[in-house]
Amino acid sequence: MTLDQIERDLHDDPPDREIPIEKVGVKGLVIPIGPINAEVEIWIDLPKDKRGVHVSRIMRSLNEEVLKDREWSLLTWRHLIEFCQGVLSKIKERHGYSRGGIKLSGFLPMRQMGPLGKREIVSYPFKVELNEKAYVEVEIQGSTSCPHTYRGFSHSQRAKASIGIEGNPEEVKNIKISKMVSILQNSLSSASYSIVKREEEKRILEEMMKKRRFIEDVVREIICLGIQEFPGMRITARCVSQESIQPFDIYSKSSSDSLRDHIRC
């Protein structure tokens, strides 16, 4: 490579091997979006006659959307999806592509009601993905109580459960994050709470004994409640149990694919 080649933009030159690139972009970048910080990944495709992607055009588009004035009084899926749409639209104008997508991940601050009605602030891991469709996901921590009992006693363990919803972006925008969290809390034996006194601990244990579930039961419950609450959407569910009497974790995952007409809730 010569100095002249460095000074000249080579990205639009034809490559030696004319092979299209399915995905090229940026990842591992943390940006501010309203009241939160999120990790972002952006990709576009590249035709066979273009040697490289113009990363500066992608970053300029992202930066303009980050600096755009918005009302962030209450963070919603609508805010995050419209942010993603704005970034992809600007990249389309500056760079052009046939297919492109963006992913966001981070933590959502939310208020949670305790077992006796006291509020506390929690942070839930989330994901947003946008390409032809929109996908949103939220995860919570809770507990599962094993259905196996010995003289009325059962072991319990902390568990993480997540629900993902995929569909038309304009429809996914209207989904309430609190509804998704409620489905997860109702599917686990119990939710997790930061501030727990004796009376609250008693209430939690009583709830867990009434809802003894394997993690497979948790996943089934998430899918069933998801289909009821969000008809026409694709539902994915996952649960990871941090076992208390075994030296490993157990996980379960499934989706509503090809099951919608057969599930009896």
Side-chain angles (χ1 to χ4, degrees):
M1 178 179 290
T2 67
L3 291 177
D4 289 339
Q5 285 178 309
I6 294 176
E7 293 174 356
R8 187 170 61 84
D9 191 345
L10 304 177
H11 297 86
D12 291 328
D13 287 356
D16 294 336
R17 302 184 186 278
E18 293 193 345
I19 300 173
I21 302 298
E22 294 179 2
K23 288 186 178 183
V24 57
V26 298
K27 65 184 300 184
L29 177 67
V30 177
I31 58 172
I33 304 180
I36 66 170
N37 290 328
E39 185 171 333
V40 62
E41 176 181 343
I42 306 172
W43 61 270
I44 61 175
D45 62 357
L46 197 66
K48 65 180 182 179
D49 60 342
K50 301 293 184 182
R51 186 173 180 182
V53 67
H54 294 272
V55 175
S56 61
R57 297 179 188 178
I58 293 176
M59 294 307 301
R60 183 181 172 190
S61 301
L62 176 63
N63 189 60
E64 286 183 3
E65 203 63 24
V66 168
L67 296 176
K68 187 176 179 181
D69 288 334
R70 282 187 173 84
E71 176 56 50
W72 296 101
S73 58
L74 180 64
L75 193 63
T76 65
W77 293 136
R78 176 176 293 278
H79 287 120
L80 296 172
I81 292 173
E82 288 182 350
F83 172 87
C84 293
Q85 288 176 324
V87 173
L88 290 178
S89 177
K90 284 181 170 62
I91 296 173
K92 187 83 169 178
E93 293 174 5
R94 289 196 173 100
H95 197 293
Y97 59 82
S98 297
R99 294 184 66 248
I102 182 170
K103 297 180 183 180
L104 301 176
S105 61
F107 292 86
L108 289 171
M110 293 186 67
R111 290 186 177 90
Q112 175 177 264
M113 196 72 72
L116 295 181
K118 296 178 182 178
R119 288 187 175 183
E120 62 181 29
I121 300 298
V122 295
S123 292
Y124 298 128
F126 80 92
K127 293 180 184 178
V128 173
E129 298 182 21
L130 180 69
N131 39 70
E132 291 85 1
K133 294 185 177 181
Y135 174 84
V136 294
E137 178 184 301
V138 66
E139 175 188 283
I140 74 166
Q141 288 197 64
S143 301
T144 57
S145 179
C146 183
H148 291 147
T149 60
Y150 176 70
R151 294 182 179 177
F153 294 96
S154 173
H155 70 88
S156 61
Q157 47 275 318
R158 191 165 54 171
K160 295 180 180 180
S162 64
I163 178 172
I165 302 175
E166 183 181 52
N168 180 285
E170 297 309 310
E171 295 178 353
V172 176
K173 284 180 185 179
N174 296 321
I175 293 174
K176 291 185 177 180
I177 301 171
S178 58
K179 289 280 188 182
M180 296 173 66
V181 171
S182 178
I183 286 174
L184 296 174
Q185 291 174 333
N186 290 328
S187 299
L188 289 160
S189 296
S190 172
S192 289
Y193 306 96
S194 299
I195 305 171
V196 179
K197 294 191 174 182
R198 284 192 299 271
E199 188 60 33
E200 292 163 318
E201 184 177 359
K202 176 184 175 184
R203 186 71 60 87
I204 293 169
L205 291 174
E206 288 173 347
E207 181 182 1
M208 290 176 66
M209 292 304 100
K210 293 176 184 176
K211 294 165 59 180
R212 291 175 173 154
R213 288 173 178 169
F214 295 129
I215 59 170
E216 297 92 333
D217 297 325
V218 174
V219 165
R220 293 183 183 105
E221 196 72 12
I222 294 170
I223 292 175
C224 191
L225 294 177
I227 289 174
Q228 291 177 341
E229 187 68 43
F230 310 111
M233 303 284 188
R234 181 178 185 268
I235 311 297
T236 58
R238 178 181 172 89
C239 185
V240 179
S241 172
Q242 299 169 310
E243 291 297 291
S244 58
I245 61 174
Q246 294 167 307
F248 49 78
D249 296 343
I250 300 176
Y251 79 96
S252 176
K253 63 179 181 179
S254 193
S255 74
S256 60
D257 292 348
S258 73
L259 297 176
R260 193 176 305 277
D261 295 334
H262 306 288
I263 293 180
R264 301 173 68 180
C265 298

